[in-house]
Amino acid sequence: MKSVRIGGVLALLLLQWGSSASAVHLKNRTIDANLIPAAAAPSGSGPSSHWILQFKDFPGADVRRKLAERGVRVLEYVPDSALIVAFHRSPSRQLPDLTGLNIIWTGQLTAADRTAPGLETGSTFLVVFHSDVPKADAERLLEGFQILGAPRLFPNHFLVAADQVRLPQLAAQDEVSYISTGGILSSGMQMAVRRRL
Protein backbone atom coordinates (compact mmCIF):
# COMPACT_ATOMS: atom_id res chain seq x y z
CA MET A 1 0.00 0.00 0.00
CA LYS A 2 2.81 2.40 0.92
CA SER A 3 4.67 1.66 -2.33
CA VAL A 4 1.55 2.60 -4.30
CA ARG A 5 1.34 5.87 -2.35
CA ILE A 6 5.00 6.64 -3.16
CA GLY A 7 4.20 6.17 -6.85
CA GLY A 8 1.18 8.47 -6.48
CA VAL A 9 3.20 11.22 -4.82
CA LEU A 10 5.81 11.04 -7.58
CA ALA A 11 3.13 11.13 -10.28
CA LEU A 12 1.65 14.29 -8.72
CA LEU A 13 5.09 15.90 -8.73
CA LEU A 14 5.42 15.15 -12.42
CA LEU A 15 2.10 16.81 -13.17
CA GLN A 16 3.04 19.81 -11.06
CA TRP A 17 6.36 20.53 -12.76
CA GLY A 18 5.91 19.04 -16.21
CA SER A 19 8.99 17.91 -18.09
CA SER A 20 11.63 19.81 -19.99
CA ALA A 21 14.42 17.45 -19.01
CA SER A 22 17.30 16.21 -21.03
CA ALA A 23 18.00 12.51 -21.16
CA VAL A 24 18.75 10.17 -18.28
CA HIS A 25 21.81 8.16 -19.25
CA LEU A 26 21.92 4.66 -17.76
CA LYS A 27 24.51 2.00 -18.58
CA ASN A 28 22.19 0.10 -20.94
CA ARG A 29 19.89 2.77 -22.33
CA THR A 30 19.11 6.42 -22.53
CA ILE A 31 15.71 7.50 -21.21
CA ASP A 32 14.02 10.44 -22.91
CA ALA A 33 12.71 12.26 -19.88
CA ASN A 34 10.28 14.24 -22.06
CA LEU A 35 8.27 11.02 -22.44
CA ILE A 36 7.22 10.47 -18.86
CA PRO A 37 6.49 6.79 -18.19
CA ALA A 38 4.10 5.64 -15.53
CA ALA A 39 6.04 5.01 -12.33
CA ALA A 40 5.61 1.37 -11.36
CA ALA A 41 5.22 0.29 -7.76
CA PRO A 42 8.55 -0.76 -6.20
CA SER A 43 9.32 -4.46 -6.51
CA GLY A 44 11.86 -4.72 -3.71
CA SER A 45 11.36 -7.00 -0.75
CA GLY A 46 13.57 -5.02 1.63
CA PRO A 47 12.92 -1.95 3.79
CA SER A 48 13.80 0.52 1.00
CA SER A 49 12.68 1.24 -2.52
CA HIS A 50 14.98 2.83 -5.06
CA TRP A 51 14.01 5.60 -7.46
CA ILE A 52 15.62 7.81 -10.09
CA LEU A 53 14.80 11.47 -9.50
CA GLN A 54 15.73 13.91 -12.25
CA PHE A 55 15.99 17.59 -11.41
CA LYS A 56 15.62 20.73 -13.51
CA ASP A 57 19.25 21.61 -12.71
CA PHE A 58 22.25 19.75 -11.31
CA PRO A 59 21.30 18.46 -7.82
CA GLY A 60 24.06 20.07 -5.80
CA ALA A 61 24.82 19.99 -2.10
CA ASP A 62 21.77 22.09 -1.17
CA VAL A 63 19.33 19.71 -2.91
CA ARG A 64 21.06 16.67 -1.42
CA ARG A 65 20.88 18.21 2.05
CA LYS A 66 17.15 18.89 1.64
CA LEU A 67 16.58 15.31 0.51
CA ALA A 68 18.44 13.99 3.55
CA GLU A 69 16.41 16.24 5.86
CA ARG A 70 13.24 14.74 4.37
CA GLY A 71 14.35 11.16 4.93
CA VAL A 72 15.56 10.41 1.40
CA ARG A 73 18.96 8.75 1.11
CA VAL A 74 21.02 9.76 -1.94
CA LEU A 75 22.95 6.81 -3.36
CA GLU A 76 24.49 7.98 -6.63
CA TYR A 77 24.44 10.53 -9.42
CA VAL A 78 23.04 9.68 -12.87
CA PRO A 79 23.58 12.01 -15.85
CA ASP A 80 21.85 14.27 -16.66
CA SER A 81 20.98 15.94 -13.36
CA ALA A 82 19.47 12.83 -11.76
CA LEU A 83 20.03 10.91 -8.54
CA ILE A 84 19.31 7.35 -7.51
CA VAL A 85 17.74 7.59 -4.07
CA ALA A 86 16.23 5.29 -1.47
CA PHE A 87 12.91 5.85 0.28
CA HIS A 88 12.88 3.96 3.56
CA ARG A 89 9.69 2.12 4.45
CA SER A 90 8.37 2.17 7.98
CA PRO A 91 4.84 1.86 9.39
CA SER A 92 5.41 5.00 11.48
CA ARG A 93 7.27 7.08 8.89
CA GLN A 94 5.38 9.44 6.59
CA LEU A 95 6.25 9.56 2.90
CA PRO A 96 8.93 12.15 2.15
CA ASP A 97 7.78 15.56 0.99
CA LEU A 98 9.51 16.22 -2.34
CA THR A 99 7.81 19.50 -3.19
CA GLY A 100 9.95 22.51 -3.99
CA LEU A 101 12.92 20.47 -5.24
CA ASN A 102 12.34 21.01 -8.99
CA ILE A 103 11.94 17.30 -9.74
CA ILE A 104 10.94 16.93 -13.38
CA TRP A 105 11.11 13.15 -13.94
CA THR A 106 10.93 10.02 -11.82
CA GLY A 107 11.31 6.35 -12.54
CA GLN A 108 12.86 3.08 -11.46
CA LEU A 109 15.41 0.72 -12.93
CA THR A 110 13.98 -2.18 -14.90
CA ALA A 111 15.45 -5.68 -14.98
CA ALA A 112 16.90 -4.85 -18.41
CA ASP A 113 18.57 -1.73 -16.96
CA ARG A 114 20.25 -3.91 -14.34
CA THR A 115 21.75 -6.52 -16.69
CA ALA A 116 24.85 -6.04 -18.83
CA PRO A 117 25.09 -7.41 -22.35
CA GLY A 118 26.84 -10.77 -22.66
CA LEU A 119 25.56 -12.37 -19.46
CA GLU A 120 24.23 -15.32 -21.47
CA THR A 121 27.80 -16.41 -22.26
CA GLY A 122 29.49 -15.48 -18.98
CA SER A 123 30.73 -18.09 -16.54
CA THR A 124 30.47 -15.69 -13.59
CA PHE A 125 28.33 -12.68 -12.66
CA LEU A 126 29.41 -9.61 -10.71
CA VAL A 127 26.28 -8.61 -8.79
CA VAL A 128 26.24 -5.04 -7.47
CA PHE A 129 23.63 -4.12 -4.87
CA HIS A 130 22.63 -0.56 -4.01
CA SER A 131 24.91 0.78 -1.29
CA ASP A 132 22.12 0.95 1.31
CA VAL A 133 21.30 -2.78 1.05
CA PRO A 134 22.56 -4.68 4.12
CA LYS A 135 24.93 -7.58 3.41
CA ALA A 136 22.50 -10.05 4.99
CA ASP A 137 19.72 -8.93 2.61
CA ALA A 138 22.04 -9.21 -0.39
CA GLU A 139 23.10 -12.72 0.63
CA ARG A 140 19.45 -13.70 1.08
CA LEU A 141 18.68 -12.57 -2.47
CA LEU A 142 21.65 -14.59 -3.71
CA GLU A 143 20.38 -17.85 -2.18
CA GLY A 144 20.75 -20.57 -4.78
CA PHE A 145 23.75 -18.85 -6.39
CA GLN A 146 27.26 -20.10 -5.69
CA ILE A 147 29.07 -17.12 -4.15
CA LEU A 148 32.74 -17.13 -5.16
CA GLY A 149 35.55 -15.66 -3.12
CA ALA A 150 37.26 -12.67 -4.73
CA PRO A 151 39.76 -10.27 -3.14
CA ARG A 152 39.15 -6.52 -2.78
CA LEU A 153 35.47 -6.46 -3.66
CA PHE A 154 33.40 -3.56 -2.38
CA PRO A 155 30.99 -4.60 0.40
CA ASN A 156 27.96 -4.42 -1.93
CA HIS A 157 29.65 -6.45 -4.74
CA PHE A 158 29.39 -10.23 -5.05
CA LEU A 159 31.06 -12.53 -7.56
CA VAL A 160 28.82 -15.54 -8.23
CA ALA A 161 28.84 -18.51 -10.57
CA ALA A 162 26.62 -17.85 -13.58
CA ASP A 163 23.09 -19.19 -13.26
CA GLN A 164 20.93 -18.38 -16.27
CA VAL A 165 17.80 -19.85 -14.67
CA ARG A 166 17.91 -17.59 -11.59
CA LEU A 167 19.23 -14.49 -13.39
CA PRO A 168 15.83 -12.99 -14.42
CA GLN A 169 14.46 -13.21 -10.88
CA LEU A 170 17.61 -11.63 -9.41
CA ALA A 171 17.64 -8.83 -12.01
CA ALA A 172 14.03 -7.98 -11.14
CA GLN A 173 14.88 -7.21 -7.50
CA ASP A 174 14.77 -3.53 -6.51
CA GLU A 175 17.82 -4.03 -4.27
CA VAL A 176 20.05 -4.89 -7.25
CA SER A 177 21.87 -2.02 -8.97
CA TYR A 178 23.67 -3.86 -11.80
CA ILE A 179 24.79 -7.31 -12.91
CA SER A 180 27.76 -7.71 -15.25
CA THR A 181 29.96 -10.57 -16.29
CA GLY A 182 32.65 -11.54 -13.81
CA GLY A 183 35.18 -11.15 -16.61
CA ILE A 184 35.11 -7.38 -16.01
CA LEU A 185 36.32 -8.03 -12.46
CA SER A 186 39.13 -10.31 -13.68
CA SER A 187 40.27 -7.74 -16.24
CA GLY A 188 40.23 -4.99 -13.63
CA MET A 189 42.29 -7.04 -11.22
CA GLN A 190 44.85 -7.79 -13.94
CA MET A 191 45.07 -4.08 -14.85
CA ALA A 192 45.62 -3.17 -11.19
CA VAL A 193 48.49 -5.65 -10.98
CA ARG A 194 50.07 -4.18 -14.14
CA ARG A 195 49.84 -0.63 -12.72
CA ARG A 196 51.68 -1.70 -9.57
CA LEU A 197 54.52 -3.29 -11.60
Side-chain angles (χ1 to χ4, degrees):
M1 179 64 134
K2 184 164 282 193
S3 63
V4 173
R5 289 187 354 228
I6 289 174
V9 168
L10 294 175
L12 286 173
L13 288 170
L14 294 175
L15 291 173
Q16 179 180 351
W17 284 298
S19 179
S20 59
S22 54
V24 176
H25 299 281
L26 301 175
K27 290 178 180 145
N28 288 351
R29 69 175 170 133
T30 298
I31 299 170
D32 182 352
N34 291 310
L35 305 173
I36 303 170
S43 60
S45 57
S48 298
S49 60
H50 301 93
W51 289 83
I52 303 168
L53 304 180
Q54 188 176 31
F55 299 82
K56 184 176 180 181
D57 301 301
F58 177 79
D62 185 53
V63 169
R64 295 174 191 222
R65 179 184 52 77
K66 288 177 181 176
L67 286 168
E69 289 172 354
R70 300 176 192 198
V72 179
R73 182 169 178 182
V74 175
L75 302 180
E76 62 183 286
Y77 172 76
V78 180
D80 290 337
S81 300
L83 298 171
I84 292 185
V85 302
F87 296 140
H88 295 280
R89 298 175 186 163
S90 161
S92 61
R93 178 176 283 183
Q94 296 291 322
L95 292 175
D97 176 14
L98 301 178
T99 57
L101 296 177
N102 289 327
I103 296 170
I104 55 177
W105 186 87
T106 63
Q108 290 186 283
L109 295 174
T110 66
D113 295 330
R114 298 185 185 105
T115 51
L119 289 179
E120 62 280 354
T121 59
S123 60
T124 58
F125 299 152
L126 178 63
V127 183
V128 180
F129 289 89
H130 290 292
S131 59
D132 66 321
V133 176
K135 182 179 180 182
D137 290 354
E139 290 175 340
R140 176 181 53 79
L141 290 170
L142 289 173
E143 283 179 7
F145 284 90
Q146 179 187 1
I147 299 177
L148 307 172
R152 297 185 208 93
L153 283 180
F154 288 108
N156 59 327
H157 290 58
F158 292 82
L159 186 65
V160 301
D163 186 333
Q164 302 298 335
V165 174
R166 290 186 173 88
L167 176 61
Q169 181 180 357
L170 179 63
Q173 297 302 315
D174 177 71
E175 294 86 350
V176 173
S177 175
Y178 199 64
I179 305 170
S180 62
T181 61
I184 292 174
L185 175 65
S186 301
S187 299
M189 290 169 67
Q190 290 169 6
M191 288 173 64
V193 170
R194 287 194 197 104
R195 288 192 194 106
R196 286 199 297 269
L197 294 177

